[in-house]
């Protein structure tokens, strides 16, 4: 019998090998640019656009499969600034990103008679351009590059200007401005320890901004399949080419014309960022490797002893019993002690966050989460034969929830309700999601996960004895004072495990160290199409579970893997970086990508680095840079040395100094987050966002704007105390000394920058609302009075705003808003809203850039006594004691 089977299989195998050889030879010789492309026929007008048939224009190339003979094109002017183009197979319903995962924009008010960008096309062979109406310049141009549309290969190519300024297409650790010569951006989410340069990482954001001196535009391809996006310069011509291994072509073209305009327009498509709780902007501390509850509590106590403000304490997978999600180790992290720890933190005005992994250990009778999932009929991802797909993660052999299964949201919400019950469980304030690409330790083809779990020693054993059950927590209860329904798609794929076009995936196979691409979801979709959605879908389910635990309160979820639109519900950290100066520098570009381009504003790196040993000077510099990350967290792995900020005197002082600046600025930043939630204005910005015609700014990714008005210029080299700072042609004020720098569009060398300091400047033209002093917790900070710092631009004008609410509620019954306007030596403050700000006051108003002492200052028309006015001839600033209630509107004028 075996010989007969072998006799049948060998000819078949020989035939397969022969066919593969033909395809490979064909791929190696075919010039895709010489493929026939398509001709546009049956063009007809539709609402705000048109549609057409695309018919293969000649002999098929069949370069990675059989060319489709007929396609359907629709072009819609959704708004005056957004064109939506879709190319699909009219005969079969191919996979596209589900509406339930990425809701499409609903309101259309576009008019193709008066748009700011135009879609123009040539019928034979079909090509198209996107042009800017005001300048008639071409923004996207496929002329000379035929469209290729095959079951597992979609190709669109556009020409670009020489040395094009392209940003986005993440996640990556390339420079912020992508090199336009021989750069391949691969989008396929993976566990990427060390975040290696030039590879695909944890997230998929297929959007790019292109900036020119004449304006900025954006291009978003809504497709979750694996892809290569190639930037190439050949014979002086630059191009950008999409090579996609499935789905459809679903493009959005965004007009701009400014970079902030493009950011807002993308937010209208991808979703406006979620508002985060006020406390989420405080300092967070975590480590993988805290061995027990007492060590966690000791870290909290040590921060208090060092007088370093700590807002939120985190715990990694160490708390779990045998690394099983929704469990706690009864010896090392007993429930009673964990509840006591959380209670003490809450009494101190602090928060607590724990990790939740997606993988559920296959431990019947041990893992309640597994048993309850099984009781629901199995809510796990499946193999093609219907059995549970098994992988390998920390607890050993695991299954993963199928986020497309209609039972999974209820299952996940119930697990959160049980384990994190405020009355009987661990009352967390936020959740942290890791390993959700999804990651697996099982080496492909993973034929025996149980054997691999044994060989890898999973779950790992504890290496220290448990703490005594009688230990009292060392932290106390006070803190120090400081001064849609989905259907199965006919994908027509021939090989989802090894597709004919191989994207530049850093691993050797699409299924390596993750769920296999032939895994089946309950609605018939396959992992080949939906892999890049897993992290965002888990994040959304976790957000919903947290919202049901605390109805009405904003959630705080930090995740590792994201897809376009994730920022509407969660924040993101930049993954498992290393404690090196390169990773320190590169973290800035990573933040700018997510906050300025991808609409995920709550983002930051692991401060001081996750892997390898940090150093005192690196950690000191990173503590100051981290204070200007939207998400500010010190976190490292179990093997390197401890790196809490209090471990070195220099680092401790650097953290104190930086947190003092951050917390005084926190309401300015919170206001920026609120504005981002309203219209997508980025909370972090590269310099070219505010200086779009200054070509020197286009490649800068070692400086950035915190909000629109705080210029941050960290020291970025080891063992130096100087930095070259680029100042655009504008006026800037040192944040601490108020010293003036008149920028001329050139670099300035700043020297003698202590390891505990970071250069920060106020961009002229802003009125900053600052707290008069910092505090240990954000709860204390909200009780601090304000001062206004007026930093006029070169025309003597400035403006600003302040937004205050209760900091935690999703729906605000009452809010407070102040607007500030300064011109002609007069400051007007206007307020509105009924939110109760208590007895908070504006203590002082400081006006910068004043060359001589004022002769007279009046408040609401009444001349102030000279004792209320202090002029500093060194900093050329004047401070006026106003002591006005925060609820008051007033006018301050000086001569």
């Amino acid at each position: 019998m075996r010989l007969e089977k072998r006799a049948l299989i060998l000819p078949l195998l020989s035939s397969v090998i022969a066919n593969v050889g033909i395809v490979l030879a064909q791929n190696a010789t075919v010039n895709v640019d010489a493929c026939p492309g398509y001709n546009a026929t049956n063009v007809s007008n539709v609402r705000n656009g048109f549609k057409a048939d695309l018919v293969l224009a000649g002999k098929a190339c069949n370069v990675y499969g059989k060319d489709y003979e007929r396609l359907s094109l629709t072009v819609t002017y959704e708004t005056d600034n957004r064109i939506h183009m879709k190319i699909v197979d009219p005969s079969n319903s191919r996979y596209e990103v589900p509406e339930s995962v990425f809701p499409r924009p609903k309101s259309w008010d576009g008019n193709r008679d008066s748009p700011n960008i135009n879609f123009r096309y040539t019928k034979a062979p079909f090509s198209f351009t996107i042009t800017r109406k005001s300048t008639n310049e071409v923004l996207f141009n496929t002329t000379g590059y035929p469209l290729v549309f095959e079951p597992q290969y979609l190709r669109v190519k556009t020409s670009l200007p020489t040395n094009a300024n392209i940003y986005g297409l993440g996640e990556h650790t390339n420079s912020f401005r992508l090199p336009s010569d021989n750069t391949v951006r691969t989008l396929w989410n993976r566990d990427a320890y060390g975040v290696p340069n030039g590879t695909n990482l944890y997230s998929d954001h297929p959007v790019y901004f292109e900036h020119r001196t004449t304006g900025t535009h954006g291009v978003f391809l809504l497709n979750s399949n694996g892809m290569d996006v190639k930037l190439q310069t050949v014979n002086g011509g630059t191009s950008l080419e999409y090579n996609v291994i499935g789905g459809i072509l679903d493009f959005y073209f965004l007009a701009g014309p400014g970079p902030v305009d493009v950011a807002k327009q993308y937010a209208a498509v991808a979703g406006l960022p979620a508002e985060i709780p006020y406390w989420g902007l405080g300092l967070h501390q975590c480590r993988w490797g805290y061995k027990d509850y007492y060590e966690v509590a000791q870290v909290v106590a040590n921060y208090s002893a060092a007088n370093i403000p700590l807002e939120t304490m985190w715990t990694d997978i160490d708390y779990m019993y045998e690394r099983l999600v929704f469990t706690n180790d009864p010896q090392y992290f007993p429930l009673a002690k964990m509840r006591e720890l959380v209670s003490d933190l809450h009494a101190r005005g602090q928060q607590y966050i724990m990790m939740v992994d997606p993988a559920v250990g296959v431990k019947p009778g041990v893992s309640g989460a597994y048993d309850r999932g099984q009781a629901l009929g199995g809510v796990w991802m499946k193999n093609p034969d219907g059995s549970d797909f098994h992988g390998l993660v920390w607890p050993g052999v695991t299954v993963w929830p199928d986020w497309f299964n209609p039972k999974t949201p209820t299952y996940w919400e119930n697990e959160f309700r049980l384990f994190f019950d405020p009355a009987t469980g661990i009352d967390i304030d936020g959740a942290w999601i890791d390993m959700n690409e999804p990651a697996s330790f099982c080496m492909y083809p993973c034929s025996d996960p149980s054997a691999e779990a044994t060989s890898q020693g999973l779950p790992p054993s504890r290496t220290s004895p448990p703490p005594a059950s009688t230990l009292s927590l060392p932290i106390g209860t006070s803190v120090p004072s400081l001064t849609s329904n989905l259907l199965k798609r006919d994908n027509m794929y021939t090989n989802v495990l090894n597709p004919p076009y191989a994207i530049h995936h850093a691993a050797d196979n699409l299924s390596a160290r993750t769920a296999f691409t032939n895994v089946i979801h309950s609605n018939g979709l396959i992992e080949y199409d939906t892999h890049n959605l897993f992290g965002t879908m888990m994040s959304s389910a976790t957000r919903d579970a947290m919202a049901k635990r605390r109805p009405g309160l904003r959630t705080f979820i930090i995740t590792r893997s994201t897809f376009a639109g994730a920022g509407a519900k969660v924040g993101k950290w930049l993954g498992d970086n290393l404690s090196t100066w390169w990773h320190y520098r590169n973290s800035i570009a990573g933040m700018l990508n997510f906050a300025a381009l991808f609409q995920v504003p709550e983002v930051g790196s692991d401060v001081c680095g996750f892997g390898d040993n940090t150093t005192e000077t690196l950690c000191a510099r990173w503590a100051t840079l981290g204070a200007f990350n939207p998400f500010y967290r010190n976190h490292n792995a179990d093997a390197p040395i401890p790196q809490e900020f209090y471990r070195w005197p220099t680092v401790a002082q650097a953290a104190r100094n930086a947190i003092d600046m951050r917390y005084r600025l926190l309401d300015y930043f919170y206001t920026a987050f609120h504005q981002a939630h309203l219209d997508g204005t980025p909370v972090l910005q590269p310099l070219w966002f505010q200086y779009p015609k200054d070509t020197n700014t286009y490649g800068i990714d070692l400086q950035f704007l915190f909000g629109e008005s705080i210029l941050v210029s960290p020291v970025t080299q080891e063992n130096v105390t100087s930095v070259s700072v680029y100042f655009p042609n504008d006026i800037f004020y040192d944040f601490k000394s108020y010293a003036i720098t008149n920028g001329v569009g050139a670099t300035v060398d700043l020297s003698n920058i202590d390891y505990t300091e970071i250069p920060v400047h106020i961009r002229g033209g802003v009125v900053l609302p600052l707290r008069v002093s910092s505090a240990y917790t954000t709860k204390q900070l909200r009780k601090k009075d304000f001062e206004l710092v007026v930093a006029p631009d070169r025309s003597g004008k400035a403006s600003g705003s302040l937004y205050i609410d209760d900091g935690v509620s999703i729906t605000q019954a009452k809010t407070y808003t102040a607007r500030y306007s300064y011109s002609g030596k007069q400051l007007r403050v206007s307020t509105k809203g009924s939110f109760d700000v208590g007895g908070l006051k504006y203590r002082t108003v400081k006006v910068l850039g004043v060359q001589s002492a004022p002769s007279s200052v009046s408040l609401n028309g009444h001349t102030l006594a000279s004792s209320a006015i202090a002029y500093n001839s060194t900093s050329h600033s004047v401070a006026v004691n106003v002591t006005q209630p925060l609820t008051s509107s007033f006018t301050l004028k000086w001569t």
Side-chain angles (χ1 to χ4, degrees), residues 171-237:
E171 183 179 5
H172 62 77
T173 51
N174 296 63
S175 56
F176 183 51
R177 179 175 61 179
L178 292 168
S180 60
D181 186 14
N182 199 30
T183 293
V184 179
R185 286 295 317 113
T186 299
L187 304 184
W188 184 257
N189 298 350
R190 73 180 184 103
D191 181 0
Y193 177 80
V195 290
N197 177 254
T199 70
N200 52 307
L201 303 179
Y202 309 100
S203 296
D204 175 11
H205 293 269
V207 60
Y208 74 82
F209 288 28
E210 186 197 338
H211 179 65
R212 308 174 185 181
T213 56
T214 52
T216 311
H217 66 276
V219 179
F220 171 49
L221 173 58
L222 178 52
N223 184 298
S224 63
N225 289 84
M227 69 180 75
D228 285 338
V229 185
K230 299 179 179 179
L231 283 163
Q232 297 173 307
T233 299
V234 178
N235 298 325

Side-chain angles (χ1 to χ4, degrees), residues 767-787:
V767 179
L768 286 176
L770 305 180
R771 297 284 181 170
V772 294
S773 62
S774 182
Y776 193 81
T777 66
T778 60
K779 186 176 181 179
Q780 292 178 338
L781 185 66
R782 288 174 64 89
K783 299 176 183 178
K784 300 284 186 178
D785 287 337
F786 284 86
E787 65 177 6

Side-chain angles (χ1 to χ4, degrees), residues 46 172 402 432 489 530 553 597 612 617 670 743 779 786 817:
V46 295
H172 62 77
D402 176 4
W432 172 29
R489 300 296 194 263
T530 65
L553 297 185
L597 307 184
D612 298 343
T617 54
Y670 186 74
K779 186 176 181 179
F786 284 86
T817 303

Side-chain angles (χ1 to χ4, degrees), residues 524-581:
L525 297 180
I526 60 173
E527 189 68 3
Y528 180 83
D529 289 322
T530 65
H531 167 83
N532 285 341
L533 303 179
F534 186 96
T536 287
M537 293 187 73
M538 179 189 177
S539 299
S540 296
T542 302
R543 182 256 188 196
D544 294 344
M546 286 293 292
K548 288 197 173 181
R549 282 186 65 250
R550 293 182 168 187
L553 297 185
R554 297 172 189 166
T555 58
F556 188 81
I557 313 293
I558 298 295
T559 184
R560 189 168 77 174
S561 180
T562 59
F563 180 70
K569 293 188 176 181
V570 298
K572 146 86 181 171
W573 101 99
L574 295 175
D576 296 342
N577 61 0
L578 304 179
S579 297
T580 71
W581 286 87

